[in-house]
Amino acid sequence: MSTAILTGPPAPGSSLDGDLRSLGFDVKAASGADETGALLAAVPAGERVALVDPRFVGHVHALRLALTDPRFPAAAAPGALTAQSGARPALARALTAAGASGADDLTGTLADALDADGVAVHRPQLGTLVATVPADAEARHEARAAVDAVDDEAVRLRSAVKAHDGFFTTFFISPYSRYIARWCARRGLTPNQVTTASLLTALIAAGCAATGERGGYIAAGVLLLVSFVLDCTDGQLARYALKYSTMGAWLDATFDRAKEYAFYAGLALGAARNGDDVWALALGSMILMTCRHVVDFSFNEANHDATANTSPTAALSDRLDSRGWTVWARRMIILPIGERWAMIAVLTAVTNPRIVFWALIIGCAFGACYTTAGRVLRSLTRKAKRTDRAARALADLADSGPLAGIVARVLARTGPRVPGVVLAAVATGALLATVLARPFGDRQIVIIAVFYVVLSGAAVARPLKGALDWLVPPLFRAAEYTTVLVLAARSDSAHALPAAFGLVAAVAYHHYDTVYRIRGGTGAPPAWLVRVTGGHEGRTLLVTVLAALLADRGDDFTLALTALAVAVALVVLVESIRFWVSSGAPAVHDEGETA
């Protein structure tokens, strides 16, 4: 249990003691700064502690936001301050200094002292919620009236919903899913349990789709929508109950992709039962979606801390976002997750897998072209200066292995000063053109794959700070994934495409895992993992060599792809699970991607 220390005798008629206990605090009262220090020292070092001004008047939810959010080492609101174990030493030092100065606003003084001591103090946006320390009886009466005028439970429900979401989610899911989140909170369910339920529901939906029967397709569509409702509910429950966790961040970030790609596999299996082979479309859909996300991640990492980061196109975008109908139109046109899952669910129920995949590919391709074109225009018209951190993030997202590393070290000082994006585009274009033009197993594909290795190493030989260098990681993803798709599609080996689907899924998981580690501020996966998995260029070269060696050996190419998929999946999953359950994982909650 956490401990809350009232820094003085509570005011007559105050409900503060009961409010704090309802939030899970063991409440103790001090007579002044000296006794507050003694009570603070008596609290075990590993526990959260809160200091609250006894004159505090405000909503319980204001206290909840200020004192119970697990994501921040320290947080404060007027009259209330909390510190977790990492910020406790700084709080003790600040309290000693404040006691000597005799500060009247003790919690506010302590919060400022923590900031000055290098401890970032989170101050939640309270909006219409009240949190104040009235100076006299009249002000106290006014504060209580202000508390009575605002329903904090209604505010809490509204704030459980993401501020920026897609049209379908905002108008067709969130109006009732927030109440499901509250129902879950009152029964002690955790966001992780709801996330797991969403995954299981989606897997059952995939199983229904795999039956290949109309009844199975209808059930799959309904269950996919139920899974999405639960997917929205887990985040709303986390915000409603402030139950954020490292494990929740990892589950929420990865399960969305697992659910969607498992459903693709279910549709492909169902189509196969009816004699229709759509594995190439399923894999193409997965590749398109993953590359689209990498574009989002790379662009954001390249620009979120850049200086002079303005452009005419960005200003136009801001003006469009100030008009209601354009906001929703722009959010819908990119086919975000809500619209996408709704489309997949409806089309699954009323059509067939081939139509589902073609609609998905066309819609996502249009959205990808729209967003990428806009970002290219922004990058060319703005004079942004990218930081070393951004360049490092782009290099990590590139996932360059040991072969590209050797080339990069050789060319770092002596190589031609060609922008990384140009080299990556030439490498990708040459590889894909050759793979598409030459027959399966042709030795020339291997030669061009070696050329791809050299150019991909040259692309990352210098820091990726060019205007369009954020395109380097998505170009590498497109090259690797599409090479696997085309070789598997052209192979005479039975079941090569399902094996390729598994390989790309395993590699894509590794790339998503890299993204979420970087976004959590912990950097990329360890270098040994990239070396063991070969990097994008090593895996691409290996697949082309396998195709050349096993072209005339029946199912051997399928077996090779399967073995590679299993090996990559085992290595990246074991390392990923080890990291996300460790103490070094970022304590953040990811709310998922709108796309």
Side-chain angles (χ1 to χ4, degrees), residues 517-538:
R517 294 196 198 205
I518 293 173
R519 289 177 61 174
T522 59
W528 70 261
L529 180 65
V530 178
R531 289 195 298 269
V532 168
T533 55
H536 71 92
E537 81 289 351

Side-chain angles (χ1 to χ4, degrees), residues 199 202-203 228 231 250-264 286 289-291 293-294 296-297 335-338 340-341 501 505 508-509 511-513 516 519 590 592-595:
L199 174 66
L203 293 179
F228 183 66
D231 183 58
W250 176 56
L251 295 178
D252 190 54
T254 57
F255 277 12
D256 278 354
R257 302 288 79 78
K259 289 180 287 189
E260 191 165 359
Y261 299 159
F263 196 79
Y264 294 174
M286 182 165 67
M289 189 55 55
T290 304
C291 291
H293 279 138
V294 176
D296 296 340
F297 297 140
L335 204 64
I337 188 170
R340 190 168 69 250
W341 281 33
F501 188 96
Y509 176 85
H511 291 144
Y512 278 110
D513 187 56
Y516 291 119
R519 289 177 61 174
D590 183 85
E593 301 305 314
T594 57

Side-chain angles (χ1 to χ4, degrees), residues 249-319:
W250 176 56
L251 295 178
D252 190 54
T254 57
F255 277 12
D256 278 354
R257 302 288 79 78
K259 289 180 287 189
E260 191 165 359
Y261 299 159
F263 196 79
Y264 294 174
L267 286 173
L269 289 170
R273 286 180 177 272
N274 293 313
D276 189 10
D277 186 353
V278 297
W279 276 106
L281 295 178
L283 181 50
S285 299
M286 182 165 67
I287 291 172
L288 179 60
M289 189 55 55
T290 304
C291 291
R292 178 180 167 187
H293 279 138
V294 176
V295 168
D296 296 340
F297 297 140
S298 296
F299 180 80
N300 291 334
E301 287 300 324
N303 291 287
H304 88 271
D305 59 353
T307 59
N309 202 12
T310 59
S311 73
T313 53
L316 175 61
S317 178
D318 291 339
R319 286 197 298 272

Side-chain angles (χ1 to χ4, degrees), residues 232-244:
C232 296
T233 300
D234 64 357
Q236 292 166 358
L237 174 58
R239 289 182 287 275
Y240 180 85
L242 296 184
K243 289 185 176 180
Y244 301 104

Side-chain angles (χ1 to χ4, degrees), residues 15-359:
S15 63
L16 184 57
D17 184 284
D19 291 342
L20 290 170
R21 293 185 188 280
S22 72
L23 296 178
F25 286 97
D26 179 23
V27 182
K28 301 181 182 297
S31 59
D34 291 339
E35 189 176 355
T36 299
L39 290 174
L40 176 63
V43 178
E47 290 186 7
R48 172 194 291 271
V49 67
L51 302 182
V52 184
D53 193 308
R55 299 167 295 175
F56 175 89
V57 175
H59 288 99
V60 176
H61 191 49
L63 285 173
R64 180 183 290 107
L65 290 172
L67 303 181
T68 67
D69 197 322
R71 295 173 295 176
F72 309 103
L81 170 70
T82 186
Q84 299 201 65
S85 57
R88 288 279 301 276
L91 177 60
R93 292 193 297 270
L95 184 59
T96 301
S101 67
D104 179 60
D105 180 14
L106 182 60
T107 57
T109 301
L110 292 175
D112 293 339
L114 287 178
D115 276 325
D117 199 14
V119 177
V121 179
H122 172 67
R123 292 172 172 83
Q125 297 294 321
L126 300 179
T128 58
L129 296 175
V130 176
T132 185
V133 179
D136 51 40
E138 182 178 356
R140 187 173 187 83
H141 176 75
E142 292 176 353
R144 285 178 170 170
V147 170
D148 293 338
V150 175
D151 183 353
D152 70 339
E153 178 61 19
V155 173
R156 188 181 179 189
L157 275 173
R158 285 198 303 271
S159 61
V161 178
K162 285 166 61 174
H164 303 287
D165 224 329
F167 181 87
F168 179 77
T169 304
T170 299
F171 294 103
F172 292 91
I173 304 296
S174 293
Y176 57 87
S177 62
R178 69 184 76 182
Y179 296 101
I180 300 175
R182 181 171 68 181
W183 182 89
C184 293
R186 290 177 175 177
R187 282 152 184 80
L189 297 176
T190 67
N192 291 352
Q193 291 170 333
V194 178
T195 301
T196 304
S198 176
L199 174 66
L200 293 176
T201 304
L203 293 179
I204 295 172
C208 292
T211 63
E213 300 176 356
R214 177 53 51 197
Y217 287 150
I218 294 174
V222 172
L223 288 172
L224 189 64
L225 288 177
V226 172
S227 175
F228 183 66
V229 172
L230 293 174
D231 183 58
C232 296
T233 300
D234 64 357
Q236 292 166 358
L237 174 58
R239 289 182 287 275
Y240 180 85
L242 296 184
K243 289 185 176 180
Y244 301 104
S245 68
T246 298
M247 179 64 74
W250 176 56
L251 295 178
D252 190 54
T254 57
F255 277 12
D256 278 354
R257 302 288 79 78
K259 289 180 287 189
E260 191 165 359
Y261 299 159
F263 196 79
Y264 294 174
L267 286 173
L269 289 170
R273 286 180 177 272
N274 293 313
D276 189 10
D277 186 353
V278 297
W279 276 106
L281 295 178
L283 181 50
S285 299
M286 182 165 67
I287 291 172
L288 179 60
M289 189 55 55
T290 304
C291 291
R292 178 180 167 187
H293 279 138
V294 176
V295 168
D296 296 340
F297 297 140
S298 296
F299 180 80
N300 291 334
E301 287 300 324
N303 291 287
H304 88 271
D305 59 353
T307 59
N309 202 12
T310 59
S311 73
T313 53
L316 175 61
S317 178
D318 291 339
R319 286 197 298 272
L320 290 174
D321 281 342
S322 67
R323 302 178 185 275
W325 70 270
T326 60
V327 173
W328 295 118
R330 296 178 73 212
R331 290 185 190 177
M332 293 174 66
I333 202 172
I334 63 173
L335 204 64
I337 188 170
E339 278 76 355
R340 190 168 69 250
W341 281 33
M343 181 187 75
I344 294 171
V346 172
L347 291 180
T348 297
V350 301
T351 63
N352 60 68
R354 182 171 291 274
I355 292 177
V356 173
F357 285 126
W358 274 118

Side-chain angles (χ1 to χ4, degrees), residues 479-494:
E480 178 183 3
Y481 298 164
T482 307
T483 296
V484 175
L485 166 61
V486 175
L487 290 177
R490 292 192 166 180
S491 169
D492 292 331
S493 178

